[in-house]
Amino acid sequence: MAWIGLERWSPYAAGIGLGVLTWFAFLLSDRTIGCSTPFSRAGGMIERLLRGDKALARPYYHRVKPELGWDVMLVVGVVIGALVSSLLSGRFSLQWAPALWAATFGAAPWPRLATALVGGVLMGIGSRWADGCTSGHGISGTLQLSASSWLAVIAIFAGGIATAFFVFGVSGG
Amino acid sequence: MLQRIRSHKWAQLGIGLATGVLFGFFLQKGGVTEYDVILGQLLLRDFTVVKVMLSASITGMLGVHLLRSLGWVQLHPKPGSFGKTVIGGLIFGAGFAILGYCPGTAAGAIGQGSLDALLGVSGILIGAWLFAVFYPKLEKPILHLGDFGPVTFPELLRVNAWAVVIPVAIILSVFLLLIERAGL
């Protein structure tokens, strides 16, 4: 059982594990694994807490119901799974700025936190706009040979690579 | 039996949670909950993300199509359009590079103690909410631009699914082999 405490697995072992999980999601739940729809649901649930049932009038929430279901539990599970994995390997540590960020832009927390917030907002908009993310399109969609998902993955990496080179090229050197 | 499990509300919440725990475990072990690994991929220095995603996709593709041939599962491809899929994907990509996590790996990064991912997840929530607010304005003029529906490649080509699954699985495997050979 030493493998369970390793800090890193071969990316292929991790990928095969993720692939096998998709079989069970189809079989036991008739679902695809995706991590961005639950953020819409959670956003709607928070708005409902603040504004009451008026929030449910938004047309988007007729399509994506703001309720606690399979996919919201999935994302909660991801936090727990990564926590267990990192505790078992000793990787767990509280960290404000990742190493590559700190080496390029400095280790001060605030610039990194502000950037993460801005990036998150863009990603939240983009994931709903494209109707899927790197899990929903990138893994679950490509494995179904879905045309929309292959196109989404190409757009995601095109946008991601261009932005990464711009950000690190301009400011990082 | 499967129908009973699939329609049992509490069982489904438990299965969703258990699937998530394993999903997060594999993401963390694969290294893709690390900002450095994701930016390494987008800067084309480290191909870990591609290796994890493609091996997951190949494994999933073979198994899910086998289950489908046995008549046990149905596919759920998402409808797409150029206005939705391409523009949305590009915005997502920009966010991906700036945040350095995706929605799933951001949740995983929180689990391993990366505090910047907490702000990232807050941002994703705000962004998803903003989209819900502006959805009525975007739907007709942009999201339906160039609609092509929930179509799969075997349907487009009018062939048996396996006639695409096998060649795609081989091509993706060869691609992974070439990446390894190139030392990436």
Side-chain angles (χ1 to χ4, degrees):
Chain A
M1 294 287 278
W3 50 272
I4 213 156
L6 291 176
E7 183 158 339
R8 283 284 271 285
W9 288 357
S10 148
Y12 304 109
I16 290 169
L18 295 169
V20 170
L21 265 184
T22 66
W23 306 350
F24 286 95
F26 271 96
L27 193 62
L28 298 177
S29 302
D30 192 27
R31 275 175 176 281
T32 57
I33 292 177
C35 290
S36 66
T37 311
F39 282 94
S40 279
R41 297 193 203 283
M45 290 192 290
I46 294 170
E47 191 185 1
R48 192 179 175 187
L49 278 179
L50 299 175
R51 286 182 61 221
D53 285 346
K54 275 185 298 182
L56 300 179
R58 295 195 188 286
Y60 193 70
Y61 294 143
H62 297 293
R63 272 191 62 212
V64 178
K65 300 224 168 1
E67 57 194 21
L68 188 78
W70 192 91
D71 51 7
V72 177
M73 296 305 284
L74 179 86
V75 172
V76 174
V78 169
V79 178
I80 300 171
L83 172 69
V84 171
S85 169
S86 63
L87 285 175
L88 286 173
S89 66
R91 155 66 179 83
F92 181 87
S93 65
L94 294 177
Q95 183 188 52
W96 291 108
L100 176 65
W101 172 277
T104 317
F105 305 106
W110 293 113
R112 171 56 194 153
L113 296 182
T115 309
L117 184 69
V118 170
V121 171
L122 277 175
M123 167 163 289
I125 296 172
S127 65
R128 296 296 75 216
W129 197 305
D131 195 19
C133 60
T134 16
S135 320
H137 277 315
I139 295 177
S140 302
T142 58
L143 75 87
Q144 299 182 74
L145 296 166
S146 151
S148 64
S149 295
W150 281 90
L151 187 61
V153 170
I154 292 168
I156 287 172
F157 277 91
I161 289 168
T163 309
F165 272 93
F166 178 76
V167 170
F168 277 77
V170 169
S171 336
Chain B
M1 181 63 191
L2 278 176
Q3 272 321 314
R4 274 191 58 198
I5 298 175
R6 286 175 185 175
S7 57
H8 193 290
K9 186 162 178 274
W10 289 101
Q12 285 305 315
L13 290 179
I15 292 170
L17 184 70
T19 306
V21 170
L22 289 168
F23 201 72
F25 193 89
F26 294 140
L27 288 176
Q28 208 281 331
K29 287 286 181 235
V32 292
T33 52
E34 304 283 353
Y35 173 93
D36 294 15
V37 171
I38 289 179
L39 260 297
Q41 178 64 67
L42 296 177
L43 293 168
L44 307 177
R45 296 170 186 166
D46 168 357
F47 275 67
T48 302
V49 175
V50 164
K51 291 175 191 175
V52 171
M53 282 179 72
L54 288 186
S55 45
S57 184
I58 297 166
T59 308
M61 195 179 295
L62 295 171
V64 168
H65 280 89
L66 183 64
L67 293 170
R68 180 169 176 253
S69 290
L70 292 168
W72 293 352
V73 305
Q74 287 183 325
L75 297 186
H76 300 291
K78 291 182 174 180
S81 78
F82 291 98
K84 178 162 105 170
T85 313
V86 175
I87 298 175
L90 290 172
I91 299 173
F92 184 101
F96 195 25
I98 294 171
L99 172 56
Y101 308 107
C102 57
T105 54
I110 290 178
Q112 70 181 14
S114 303
L115 298 166
D116 53 339
L118 276 175
L119 272 289
V121 161
S122 312
I124 297 171
L125 276 172
I126 296 169
W129 174 77
L130 282 173
F131 183 81
V133 172
F134 290 104
Y135 174 74
K137 290 201 165 51
L138 294 169
E139 193 188 6
K140 286 222 168 64
I142 298 176
L143 299 178
H144 285 299
L145 214 64
D147 251 325
F148 54 83
V151 69
T152 65
F153 291 126
E155 288 166 359
L156 275 176
L157 300 169
R158 296 168 192 275
V159 293
N160 182 286
W162 290 101
V164 184
V165 168
I166 300 293
V168 169
I170 292 173
I171 291 168
L172 296 180
S173 305
V174 169
F175 180 64
L176 287 174
L177 207 71
L178 291 176
I179 288 177
E180 279 303 327
R181 280 276 180 82
L184 291 167

